[in-house]
Amino acid sequence: MNHLMKSPLINAGTTRRNALGLVSAGIALLATGAARAEDDNVLTEEQVLRDPDIPVIGNAKGDITIVEWFDYNCPYCRKLAPELRQVVQDDGKVRLVLKDWPILGPVSKVAARMALAAKYQGKFDAAHEAMISVNSRITEPRIVELLSGAGLDMDRLKKDLDANAKAIDAVLARNNEQAMAFGFNGTPSFIVGKYRVPGVLSIDQFEQVIADARKANMGRKTEQN
């Protein structure tokens, strides 16, 4: 695995912040490794925070980006989803980027590919909400039932899935490579601004790390001026 270049932990005296490492401010986030990910530009700051092939939820012009690596069959992801949405809604200035990381089996990959295909009919958000809101593991028949119930055109979804298979698989490959490079061990995992958050936070903790990220951004802008 490639090794992430990180700055020291912030205020290591608190338990929450012991889990937060600042991502290096440089554009090249990773040292050169066997995968040579930098050659493909998949681990630049732009691709991590602003991958053009992944729809943005929340405020697309927000000043802080939260990136979540998740799996539709991850119970922690499902439990956290409404709380994270509430944080994004209450703040009003957060971009939420949802990166499918289907690591819990073949059905997870099917769900991820169908969600990404849904964006071609403008229904990514509806597809995501339908699948992340269930209370138990999903199956392929259940995925079809959920997406149909959420108003997706299933015939078009299949056509879009076939027509864009290469692009969808490329997104999933980038998501996986990034997660591996950051050293994430499971879902959900996050980047908040420049902060690496490998695990679940409460609403209050998310609000605090967002505030920390804004403060860090302001500090960098002051230095640049």
Side-chain angles (χ1 to χ4, degrees):
M1 181 184 297
N2 294 322
H3 296 287
L4 181 66
M5 296 187 295
K6 297 181 292 186
S7 65
L9 296 177
I10 298 176
N11 191 6
T14 63
T15 300
R16 177 183 62 81
R17 293 186 184 180
N18 282 340
L20 306 178
L22 266 176
V23 176
S24 172
I27 292 299
L29 296 179
L30 300 175
T32 302
R36 300 190 62 81
E38 288 180 57
D39 291 352
D40 297 327
N41 294 318
V42 297
L43 287 168
T44 63
E45 180 177 337
E46 190 69 15
Q47 284 288 5
V48 170
L49 301 181
R50 299 178 183 277
D51 189 326
D53 292 326
I54 299 178
V56 174
I57 292 172
N59 186 342
K61 297 181 179 180
D63 61 345
I64 291 295
T65 299
I66 296 178
V67 185
E68 179 187 6
W69 282 262
F70 73 97
D71 187 305
Y72 285 110
N73 265 327
C74 166
Y76 302 105
C77 300
R78 293 196 297 262
K79 182 177 180 181
L80 180 67
E83 297 180 358
L84 181 57
R85 284 295 188 114
Q86 191 65 49
V87 169
V88 171
Q89 180 179 325
D90 290 349
D91 183 281
K93 298 180 182 179
V94 172
R95 302 173 65 252
L96 177 59
V97 179
L98 298 168
K99 296 203 175 191
D100 293 90
W101 189 24
I103 57 176
L104 297 177
V107 173
S108 294
K109 188 169 183 178
V110 170
R113 296 183 79 249
M114 293 183 80
L116 289 170
K119 76 174 185 177
Y120 295 100
Q121 58 178 282
K123 294 289 184 70
F124 173 82
D125 198 4
H128 175 76
E129 280 299 297
M131 291 190 287
I132 204 70
S133 298
V134 297
N135 295 320
S136 59
R137 289 185 66 86
I138 53 178
T139 62
E140 289 192 45
R142 181 66 170 143
I143 291 171
V144 173
E145 180 183 341
L146 289 167
L147 297 185
S148 179
L152 275 77
D153 180 333
M154 299 306 292
D155 290 334
R156 177 174 175 180
L157 184 68
K158 186 179 185 306
K159 292 177 182 177
D160 287 335
L161 190 59
D162 292 340
N164 300 284
K166 185 177 293 187
I168 290 169
D169 288 342
V171 169
L172 294 179
R174 286 199 299 274
N175 292 353
N176 179 70
E177 191 167 2
Q178 290 169 2
M180 292 292 96
F182 281 125
F184 294 143
N185 294 318
T187 54
S189 293
F190 301 88
I191 295 292
V192 182
K194 297 285 185 176
Y195 289 93
R196 173 180 173 275
V197 186
V200 178
L201 298 182
S202 68
I203 289 179
D204 289 344
Q205 289 169 337
F206 263 117
E207 290 174 347
Q208 184 59 58
V209 76
I210 289 168
D212 289 346
R214 282 204 174 102
K215 186 181 296 184
N217 282 350
M218 290 177 65
R220 283 193 295 274
K221 289 178 181 177
T222 300
E223 289 175 2
Q224 291 170 358
N225 293 334

